[in-house]
């Protein structure tokens, strides 16, 4: 069996309330108040609340809240989105309202582009690539190089120029309610910039037409793709809220196998790497995906960064990396994990703590089928820690670390070197969390007022 791969592959107060008092009084499912805001700002100008996770540290996360009319855009096409983003070096606050679904694989006129369009003129063909790097003749000790690898890289670069959207500092990107707002086949790249907000968007099927074969990855090699739906690389103060991430449109079960390994066209859904820091990810839905969230791209990343808060998210039909954590201080609270197989995606693990990561997993809820052992919910390399309590499995309080350690030789540590304090909205009672979050997470829930 191949070994698992771990390669890359405000302060204005915002309130999100599902009133416990109203629920207790017997109100119906529709009785929920979303986005009440003490200052009365609309959805597009909202900022991260005080003490709402790591992204509220310091000056907090305000995104484009101070944008003037010249830097406020409504976009419905790929070309309009590119124009609204402007230069990645720009610093003027900007608000980008996404209306409807943007297909990243289109040209400036809106014409649909295919993998064949990106490959045209590069000399790349899958059949030639497979012939050139067949392990039976090429071997398994070195990465592909030569004519076909250069052609593959050139084709991949053509696709990247079309589907990678580079986000500048001080930007809010938010979906317009009621329009099925989102991006299909694209990647938001938040790299070496500060103060970005991403809300109310559906990110679907971010597909790499040209995965690279790596015969040295794992015991039997792996196909690795290049794009995440949202990627943070050296970014700071980022708030991702009420988004939906999914492979819908192209589930992995439809991928062929070459050299006996899955031809994987998807990478991460939301990856936080390259010493990114001060990030809050809340009220999102992550569904039907394999390598979902990477926190830290290398075991050798420097310490002091990768401080991330994940709360009130749903993880459903996720194979692994929910998240995989390295090096940093990561608080995971009030999340719901449904690890029942879905759309061909079956659990490998939920949370992985490695490379001395300091994770606090607190008051989360797992729904686990009877066929799955609780020891499979965590993973690690023997150097990471997972502290915390109040985690429920099928409604019963469960010591996840003890279950994992009893079944594995590389033990997960149970103490951390920090104490979470930025814990707005932390709920101590989580038995009803699956029902509550099903109504209040993901894209399409937020209202404009």
């Amino acid at each position: 069996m191949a070994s698992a791969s771990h390669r890359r592959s405000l302060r204005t107060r915002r309130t999100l309330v599902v009133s416990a008092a109203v629920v207790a009084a017997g109100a119906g499912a529709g009785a929920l108040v979303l986005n009440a805001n003490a200052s009365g700002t609309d959805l597009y100008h909202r900022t991260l609340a005080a003490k709402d996770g790591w992204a509220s540290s310091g000056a907090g996360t305000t995104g484009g809240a101070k944008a003037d009319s010249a830097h406020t855009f409504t976009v419905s096409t790929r070309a309009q989105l590119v124009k609204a983003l402007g230069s990645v070096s720009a610093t003027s606050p900007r608000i980008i309202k996404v209306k409807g679904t943007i297909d990243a694989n289109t040209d400036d006129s809106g014409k649909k582009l295919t993998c064949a369009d990106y490959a045209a003129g590069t000399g790349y063909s899958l059949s030639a690539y497979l012939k050139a790097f067949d392990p039976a003749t090429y071997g398994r000790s070195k990465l592909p190089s030569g004519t076909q690898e250069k052609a593959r890289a050139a084709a991949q670069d053509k696709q990247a120029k079309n589907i990678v959207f580079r986000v500048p500092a001080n930007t809010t990107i938010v979906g317009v309610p009621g329009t099925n707002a989102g991006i299909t086949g694209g990647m938001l790249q938040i790299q070496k910039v500060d103060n970005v907000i991403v809300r109310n968007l559906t990110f679907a099927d971010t597909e790499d037409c040209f995965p690279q074969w790596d015969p040295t990855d794992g015991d039997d090699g792996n196909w690795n793709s290049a794009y995440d739906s949202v990627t943070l690389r050296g970014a700071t103060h980022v708030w991702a809220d009420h988004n939906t991430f999914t492979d819908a449109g192209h589930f992995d079960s439809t991928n062929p196998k070459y050299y006996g390994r899955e031809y994987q066209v998807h990478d991460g859904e939301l990856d936080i790497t390259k010493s990114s820091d001060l990030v809050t990810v809340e009220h999102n839905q992550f569904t039907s995906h394999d390598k979902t969230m990477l926190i830290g791209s290398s075991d050798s990343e420097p310490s002091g960064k990768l401080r991330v808060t994940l709360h009130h998210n749903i993880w459903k039909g996720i194979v692994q990396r929910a998240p995989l954590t390295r090096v940093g201080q990561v608080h995971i609270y009030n999340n719901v994990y449904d690890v029942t197989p879905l759309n061909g995606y079956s659990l490998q693990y939920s949370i992985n703590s490695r490379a001395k990561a300091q994770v606090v997993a607190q008051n989360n809820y797992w729904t686990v089928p009877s066929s799955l052992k609780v020891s499979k919910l965590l993973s690690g390399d023997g150097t990471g820690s997972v502290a915390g309590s109040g985690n429920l499995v099928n409604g019963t309080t469960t010591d996840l670390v003890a279950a994992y350690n009893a079944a594995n030789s590389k033990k997960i540590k149970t103490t951390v070197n920090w104490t979470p304090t930025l814990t707005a909205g932390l709920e101590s009672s989580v038995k009803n969390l699956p029902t509550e979050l099903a109504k209040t997470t993901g894209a399409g829930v937020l209202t404009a007022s």
Side-chain angles (χ1 to χ4, degrees):
M1 179 180 293
S3 62
S5 169
H6 295 299
R7 299 193 179 199
R8 232 251 102 213
S9 6
L10 300 189
R11 290 306 190 191
T12 303
R13 185 74 177 177
R14 178 194 63 87
T15 306
L16 169 66
V17 179
V18 179
S19 174
V22 172
V23 173
L32 57 102
V33 180
L34 295 174
N35 298 311
N37 191 294
S39 66
T41 57
D42 62 27
L43 172 64
Y44 310 109
H45 292 85
R46 290 199 183 105
T47 58
L48 182 62
K51 296 187 177 180
D52 191 349
W54 276 115
S56 66
S57 296
T61 302
T62 60
K66 295 182 179 180
D68 58 22
S69 58
H71 292 90
T72 301
F73 311 89
T74 299
V75 302
S76 299
T77 68
R78 173 195 158 275
Q80 290 171 350
L81 176 57
V82 170
K83 184 176 180 179
L85 287 168
S87 171
V88 73
S89 62
T91 58
S92 297
R94 70 188 59 222
I95 294 171
I96 301 174
K97 306 174 186 179
V98 177
K99 187 175 183 180
T101 302
I102 293 174
D103 187 345
N105 289 294
T106 52
D107 66 13
D108 288 346
S109 68
K111 177 186 175 183
K112 178 68 177 177
L113 297 176
T114 67
C115 295
D117 292 318
Y118 298 127
T122 66
Y124 172 84
S125 76
L126 179 58
S127 59
Y129 191 88
L130 293 172
K131 182 178 179 181
F133 304 113
D134 187 335
T137 54
Y138 186 79
R140 294 182 175 273
S141 62
K142 59 182 180 179
L143 288 171
S145 63
T147 301
Q148 268 302 302
E149 173 56 22
K150 290 179 180 178
R152 185 206 64 80
Q156 190 178 66
D157 185 58
K158 283 181 66 176
Q159 185 182 15
K161 288 177 180 178
N162 213 77
I163 73 168
V164 176
F165 304 108
R166 294 169 173 82
V167 181
N170 306 316
T171 295
T172 292
I173 306 176
V174 58
V176 176
T179 69
N180 295 317
I183 299 173
T184 298
M187 178 170 86
L188 290 185
Q189 180 173 296
I190 306 170
Q191 181 169 338
K192 296 182 179 179
V193 297
D194 181 67
N195 194 28
V196 173
I197 295 172
V198 180
R199 307 183 74 200
N200 202 39
L201 294 167
T202 294
F203 296 92
D205 189 22
T206 301
E207 180 180 339
D208 185 350
C209 287
F210 312 102
Q212 182 187 37
W213 170 244
D214 182 353
T216 70
D217 185 359
D219 295 339
D220 297 322
N222 274 302
W223 292 95
N224 293 316
S225 51
Y227 313 118
D228 310 316
S229 293
V230 177
T231 189
L232 279 58
R233 301 173 183 175
T236 53
H237 288 108
V238 178
W239 178 31
D241 171 63
H242 279 93
N243 302 292
T244 296
F245 298 84
T246 177
D247 285 354
H250 181 148
F251 294 132
D252 284 354
S253 58
T254 65
N255 290 339
K257 288 186 177 182
Y258 300 118
Y259 311 148
R261 303 296 290 156
E262 180 185 349
Y263 191 68
Q264 180 56 268
V265 298
H266 299 125
D267 196 12
E269 289 194 318
L270 197 171
D271 279 6
I272 303 165
T273 63
K274 304 292 184 183
S275 294
S276 292
D277 198 25
L278 305 177
V279 178
T280 297
V281 179
E282 61 171 295
H283 291 94
N284 302 280
Q285 290 194 13
F286 299 94
T287 181
S288 299
H289 193 80
D290 186 353
K291 298 176 286 187
T292 303
M293 179 182 291
L294 191 61
I295 300 178
S297 50
S298 167
D299 287 358
S300 60
E301 284 204 39
S303 61
K305 305 288 186 179
L306 297 172
R307 291 173 290 181
V308 180
T309 301
L310 310 174
H311 74 84
H312 293 90
N313 302 289
I314 288 179
W315 312 77
K316 187 173 183 178
I318 298 302
V319 177
Q320 59 178 316
R321 302 186 184 181
L324 185 155
T325 64
R326 291 179 166 107
V327 179
Q329 297 174 341
V330 180
H331 194 194
I332 304 172
Y333 69 87
N334 293 158
N335 294 271
V336 166
Y337 295 85
D338 186 341
V339 300
T340 307
L342 178 68
N343 294 322
Y345 297 88
S346 297
L347 181 79
Q348 190 176 117
Y349 64 82
S350 293
I351 299 171
N352 184 309
S353 181
R354 59 185 295 111
K356 300 181 179 179
Q358 301 283 302
V359 176
V360 177
Q362 185 176 14
N363 298 357
N364 301 288
Y365 191 107
W366 271 265
T367 297
V368 179
S370 58
S371 59
L372 187 71
K373 296 180 179 180
V374 175
S375 60
K376 298 287 289 184
L377 301 181
L378 300 183
S379 183
D381 67 347
T383 71
S385 299
V386 177
S389 61
N391 296 299
L392 272 60
V393 174
N394 297 335
T396 301
T397 302
T398 303
D399 188 334
L400 303 179
V401 176
Y404 172 85
N405 285 346
N408 293 275
S409 59
K410 293 183 177 180
K411 310 300 183 184
I412 293 175
K413 303 178 188 301
T414 58
T415 58
V416 296
N417 58 12
W418 69 294
T419 300
T421 59
L422 304 170
T423 58
L426 174 62
E427 301 176 57
S428 59
S429 177
V430 298
K431 284 196 172 184
N432 295 324
L433 206 58
T435 301
E436 293 171 2
L437 293 194
K439 304 170 187 173
T440 59
T441 58
V445 172
L446 299 182
T447 59
S449 59

